[in-house]
Structures are given as C-alpha cells and as structure tokens.
Amino acid sequence: MEELRAPLGMDAPVPASDGDRFSFTAFASHPFFTDVNRWLVERVASLGPRIVDLGCGPGAITELILAVKERGRGLVYAVDPSLSELERARRRIASSVVRFIHGSAENLSRLVPQVDVVIFCNAIHLINDKHRVLGEIRQVLGPGGTLAFNTTYFQGAYVPGTERFWRYWVLRAAQYLRDRGISILRQGKTQAMQWFSPEEYGAMVAGSGFVNASWRLHEVTLSVEALQDIGQFSLFIEGALPGVPLEAGAEALGRTVRQAMHDVKLVDSVPRYWLQFITQAPA
C-alpha cells in the first residue's frame, strides 16, 4: 500500500455552508495552520509594496499579508483559478489595496505587473509543471524580489518515527471499507503529487534563475481532532482512498485514525513538518 498522498495544506476557506460537507474548513480552523503560514508571511510581506498572493483561495493568506505589510501602501494581487474561491475572498476582505484576479499560476506573467514579493502557500505540491510556474514567478519579480512558498508534501515531511502511522491509517481505512464491500482503485501518483526534497526544490529554483535560497522545517502537532478533520476533506479522501465515495471514505478515515495511532503507539497527536522556503530573484 502506498503511503498517504493526499493534500494536507491549502489556503483556509471561510466558514462552510451545508454544501461544503467535504471542505477544508474544519482542518484549517486549527491554530497551527494559521501559525505555520503566519511564520512565512511575517518574514517576507514587508520586503516590498507590491505582493502576489498566489493561489489565494478564499483569502486567509491575503488577510495575513494585510496584517504585516505597511498599511495603505502598495497593492496585493490575490490570484486564484477558482471563481467561487475568489468570490469568497471578496466577501471576506474589504481593502482598497487588494486586487482579485482570476487565473492560474501557469499564466502569472499575463495576470500581474512586476512585483516585489510572491507568496505561494500550501499549493506548490499540487502544481504539475513546477518548472513552468517557477519561470512565471521569476518573470514577474523585479530585481531582488522574493519568492516564499511552503508545503507539507515533500520528502522529509514525516517526523522520524511517525512514518508508519500514515501507512497504517490508509491500511486500516481500506480494511474498514473492504469489510463493507467497498473497493479502492489502484492508481499511480500523478506528477503533480510527486514529492521533492528541500534540496531538489533548491535545484529547481536555481534552475529558474533564483538565488540565495534558504529553507527550514517547521514542526507542527496534529491532534486526533485535526486528523479527523482532514480525513473529511475531499482531496485528502481522494488521495488516500482513490475511487471511494466521499461519504464512505470520510467515515472510514474518521473511524480508523485512533486505531492507526494505537498501532504505532502514538497517544494523542502526530507531529509533521512543513517546508518553509524563501529565495530571491537576482538584484
């Protein structure tokens, strides 16, 4: 059985409606999620007046940027491929310095003018052609501009000693479904979900013309409740249990997380790393 390869990190949506049964809302409401993104934003959002929030979703990271950057100065370009998420962001954020832009990271240079900072939180692991997107970001950054991104889907995300938990959780959930006559499709990893090491990301950004790369591992603690919440998220279910109806997958993951923790002698939480990465365009 392949290790759990479902997205854990994405921008936090606004409160869910009844139609958002399998949304990211519950997981993103845990304080650690805000903290891990705030850490990155605080280190770069004051480095220039013109900022792109790439993959802004419903605006959680945009809010963090506005809290850090100099009030009333410059512009924030909030870019996302989803019109519905942009509409949520518009409802959430009332600021004259934010420009909401519909479009994809692959076409960023056509969407925004030259900027000082690009912040790309919890989504680079979902990008298929990472080299293209890094090239697009490089085009829009002015001399000495900064790119900051993070992800929890990379080689090294598992804190040593916890690797088995993620495998056992999938195994337990799969068995729970098989006992109820529900099968799981076998499929290979998509290119978009390939995991790269920090060193490989370093080589990617260097190959796209960036310099002065630095990174750190940011450890967070996932409680049982946080794990149960992420087990209700559609993309997580689809990655962990491909081909399974969302309702059935959510039930299986919710009911087996404590069993998997018991299997590997974890009591009430599972630590995990986020990769925080900062690099610059040449001056």
Side-chain angles (χ1 to χ4, degrees), residues 224-244:
V224 173
E225 292 75 20
L227 292 164
Q228 289 172 330
D229 287 341
I230 195 60
Q232 309 303 298
F233 178 43
S234 59
L235 290 182
F236 189 86
I237 298 166
E238 291 165 359
L241 303 169
V244 172

Side-chain angles (χ1 to χ4, degrees), residues 204-217:
M204 283 186 214
V205 299
S208 297
F210 290 92
V211 297
N212 301 328
S214 64
W215 57 270
R216 77 183 294 268
L217 300 183

Side-chain angles (χ1 to χ4, degrees), residues 99-164:
R99 302 289 184 268
F100 297 100
I101 299 173
H102 178 236
S104 69
E106 289 84 353
N107 298 305
L108 185 62
S109 64
R110 304 177 190 174
L111 303 174
V112 301
Q114 188 175 90
V115 298
D116 305 290
V117 179
V118 173
I119 298 174
F120 195 20
C121 285
N122 304 297
I124 196 168
H125 55 271
L126 297 172
I127 295 295
N128 187 10
D129 191 345
K130 294 175 176 59
H131 290 284
R132 175 179 172 179
V133 168
L134 288 169
E136 287 288 305
I137 294 170
R138 176 67 186 84
Q139 284 189 59
V140 304
L141 281 174
T146 300
L147 164 63
F149 65 85
N150 63 15
T151 178
T152 189
Y153 281 86
F154 66 99
Q155 291 182 22
Y158 299 146
V159 175
T162 68
E163 299 89 342
R164 290 191 305 147

Side-chain angles (χ1 to χ4, degrees), residues 45-264:
S46 62
L47 297 180
R50 298 157 301 176
I51 300 173
V52 171
D53 178 8
L54 186 55
C56 69
I61 305 303
T62 312
E63 284 187 332
L64 291 175
I65 293 169
L66 292 173
V68 173
K69 74 185 298 295
E70 186 176 341
R71 186 179 298 275
R73 180 170 176 255
L75 291 172
V76 177
Y77 299 95
V79 179
D80 200 88
S82 168
L83 286 171
S84 61
E85 291 296 271
L86 283 173
E87 181 56 33
R88 291 186 181 197
R90 288 190 182 97
R91 295 198 304 266
R92 179 177 188 155
I93 296 169
S95 172
S96 62
V97 304
V98 178
R99 302 289 184 268
F100 297 100
I101 299 173
H102 178 236
S104 69
E106 289 84 353
N107 298 305
L108 185 62
S109 64
R110 304 177 190 174
L111 303 174
V112 301
Q114 188 175 90
V115 298
D116 305 290
V117 179
V118 173
I119 298 174
F120 195 20
C121 285
N122 304 297
I124 196 168
H125 55 271
L126 297 172
I127 295 295
N128 187 10
D129 191 345
K130 294 175 176 59
H131 290 284
R132 175 179 172 179
V133 168
L134 288 169
E136 287 288 305
I137 294 170
R138 176 67 186 84
Q139 284 189 59
V140 304
L141 281 174
T146 300
L147 164 63
F149 65 85
N150 63 15
T151 178
T152 189
Y153 281 86
F154 66 99
Q155 291 182 22
Y158 299 146
V159 175
T162 68
E163 299 89 342
R164 290 191 305 147
F165 163 74
W166 304 97
R167 183 169 65 253
Y168 277 42
W169 192 12
V170 173
L171 289 169
R172 284 283 192 178
Q175 186 61 55
Y176 180 91
L177 292 167
R178 283 194 292 270
D179 289 345
R180 288 154 181 78
I182 301 173
S183 60
I184 301 171
L185 297 177
R186 291 188 176 274
Q187 64 178 25
K189 290 180 292 181
T190 64
Q191 184 177 353
M193 285 305 295
Q194 287 182 329
W195 291 22
F196 296 97
S197 69
E199 292 79 11
E200 287 172 323
Y201 272 115
M204 283 186 214
V205 299
S208 297
F210 290 92
V211 297
N212 301 328
S214 64
W215 57 270
R216 77 183 294 268
L217 300 183
H218 191 138
E219 184 173 335
V220 303
T221 300
L222 304 179
S223 65
V224 173
E225 292 75 20
L227 292 164
Q228 289 172 330
D229 287 341
I230 195 60
Q232 309 303 298
F233 178 43
S234 59
L235 290 182
F236 189 86
I237 298 166
E238 291 165 359
L241 303 169
V244 172
L246 293 179
E247 193 68 54
E251 178 181 354
L253 289 165
R255 289 184 176 273
T256 57
V257 61
R258 290 184 183 274
Q259 293 176 320
M261 293 178 71
H262 177 76
D263 288 339
V264 297

